[in-house]
Amino acid sequence: MASIDPAVDIRGLKVTFDTDGGRVEAVREADLRVAPGEVLAVVGESGSGKTVTARSILGLLPETALVEGAVVLNGEDVVQLDRRRLRELRGTAAAMIFQEPSTALNPVYTVGWQLAEGLRAHGKYTKRQARAHAVEMLRRVGIPDPERRVDDYPHQFSGGQKQRVVIAMALALDASVLIADEPTTALDVTVQAEILDLLRRCRDEFGTAVVLITHNMGVVADLADRVAVMFNGEVVETAPVIDLFRAPQHDYTRRLLAAVPRVELAERAPHAPDESVGAVVEARGLEIEYPGRLGRKAFRAVSGVDLRIAPGEVVGLVGESGSGKTTIGRAIAGLTAVTGGSLRVLDTEMRGVREREFRPQRRRLGFVFQDPATSFNPLLTIAECVAEPLIVHGVADSGSDARDRVDELLEAVQLPGAFGDRYPHELSGGQRQRASLARALALDPELLIADEPTSALDVSVQARVLDLFDELQERFGFASLFITHDLAVVDRVAHRVVVLHHGEVVESGPTHQVLGAPSDPYTQRLLASLPVPDPVEQASRRAELAALRESTA
């Protein structure tokens, strides 16, 4: 029987970057092959070289990169191609689903225009046809009301919805190879399950080859056929997915699997708040509306929410993209206006509050934003970004005065102090997320709002950051609203959990009770959607989830 030519064939790939500190070897002699209709997961820590390897397939590396070896895509060596031919291949032969949708989408154009741009650039569609196809692609990836949303701008979508738009752009031209760089990082577990089903259909129905870059071993178990493990720029192990999970050969692979968070339902020591001290956060009947534009009705993002966070308590806030989680976090931080009900934060009523009234409280509050790529000033070094709260609140006069504190914070989040001299674009996604956590802790806050603080981290770093979070929270006793779509993380850090659905609280209580015996069907679906790091068990859970969807449809 004749062998099938691989869709992607990487041979002896070596990628070196010229930096101010000298040459850095990002990838060393990597060999990878992906067959048509196969999903190859490439896993490893931030900085292991997995994203650089994936970007080399489309020639998307910067000019400072020196590439050696061969990267054969549909029979053509990408390393040898000129820019014109590369542009022709991008989107048609292979397409990329980028890690951070906020930087992949242009903020000044509608998502429909951006979808249509790629279609028309390859000369296959008229303007009307391109718009119709854009609407269809948004429908395929689960964007509600696509005929209307096609004219919306990226900022009008939640983080998870933006990720789905990016996936729609990658799927638009029916490429034979999809390169998915952390495609579910910003997604809650139910939407993640839908996206994985979508990628699975691309493989099964159209024979699409998928190169999946991820740190989520549950996603690997759910979708991958084979797994390649990268460490320090080298491929240290490649195996079928079942073999790798059952009997990992390399010590690094074993460490990686051991670090995977799971829902253990271990009861945390109950938090006993001091009744003589008021709540750090207390919401009663909280409502938040966004005003309509051009005659459209206002959109109510949060409706009738009751929420209380006691001093020193960690409350996990979970729900689907668009459920209102981030909106509540931003309202607590004074970044989004409260339009109904009551919200008291650090003894200040936020409904109708003026900035000058709340400003003295800001140094008592830290915020870890969901998307570190857009929360850092690209013109400042990491040290200057982390030092900014210290300077703004008068703790330090300049970045140089704050440098000792900055180095201490970077070390606490597992970043060497030397990283302070780098710019945000010179760090990997996971490294930027850790720097964002360092900045939030700069002023020793009483309240920390953490919006998906571990979403961009690989599992081993995530485990260390969660250990660090526990250690700092126990040591300093700050209260925290921990917003996340990862129920295993909630189980790991939160005393209580609040479940949001369409802007309303559907269930709340001690974490072990809500996750161990959920009473609401929506919470049950959330738990059933959580992928587990075991390919055999995950296949069974996938079938159970399909049955649950049918029963609650």
Side-chain angles (χ1 to χ4, degrees), residues 297-490:
K297 293 182 179 179
F299 171 69
R300 180 167 292 183
V302 176
S303 179
V305 165
D306 293 339
L307 174 70
R308 190 178 194 277
I309 306 175
E313 183 179 38
V314 180
V315 174
L317 187 60
V318 301
E320 291 184 294
S321 297
S323 65
K325 307 188 301 293
T326 295
T327 298
I328 290 175
R330 290 177 61 84
I332 291 172
L335 302 175
T336 294
V338 174
T339 56
S342 171
L343 175 64
R344 291 192 64 81
V345 179
L346 299 171
D347 301 319
T348 301
E349 174 56 54
M350 301 303 291
R351 185 177 179 182
V353 71
R354 296 183 178 181
E355 172 58 26
R356 67 172 177 268
E357 297 171 1
F358 190 60
R359 190 175 299 147
Q361 310 298 337
R362 287 199 179 278
R363 66 172 298 163
R364 301 167 61 191
L365 184 150
F367 202 117
V368 183
F369 291 93
Q370 179 176 356
D371 190 347
T374 56
S375 68
F376 282 131
N377 186 331
L379 302 179
L380 300 181
T381 65
I382 291 297
E384 290 169 333
C385 290
V386 174
E388 200 169 17
L390 299 168
I391 297 170
V392 168
H393 290 282
V395 177
D397 294 328
S398 65
S400 57
D401 291 342
R403 189 55 193 257
D404 287 346
R405 172 64 173 159
V406 168
D407 288 346
E408 178 186 333
L409 288 163
L410 292 178
E411 197 67 36
V413 297
Q414 318 293 333
L415 286 177
F419 275 52
D421 296 320
R422 299 186 183 183
Y423 287 88
H425 73 273
E426 296 179 295
L427 272 61
S428 69
Q431 290 166 342
R432 281 196 294 267
Q433 192 72 296
R434 282 180 272 169
S436 179
L437 179 58
R439 180 178 57 182
L441 296 173
L443 292 167
D444 295 326
E446 295 175 40
L447 171 64
L448 182 70
I449 301 167
D451 190 359
E452 303 283 5
T454 61
S455 64
L457 304 182
D458 51 84
V459 289
S460 55
V461 176
Q462 177 177 269
R464 293 199 294 270
V465 169
L466 293 176
D467 285 342
L468 171 67
F469 180 89
D470 267 351
E471 176 189 323
L472 294 172
Q473 200 275 331
E474 185 175 340
R475 178 179 174 187
F476 298 109
F478 57 77
S480 179
L481 180 68
F482 204 102
I483 302 167
T484 182
H485 63 267
D486 192 331
L487 299 181
V489 170
V490 168

Side-chain angles (χ1 to χ4, degrees), residues 6-37:
V8 179
D9 190 358
I10 298 175
R11 309 171 197 154
L13 178 65
K14 182 178 179 181
V15 182
T16 307
F17 291 99
D18 284 323
T19 69
D20 293 338
R23 286 196 166 188
V24 175
E25 286 188 330
V27 180
R28 307 173 186 178
E29 301 292 336
D31 293 318
L32 292 173
R33 287 172 182 79
V34 190

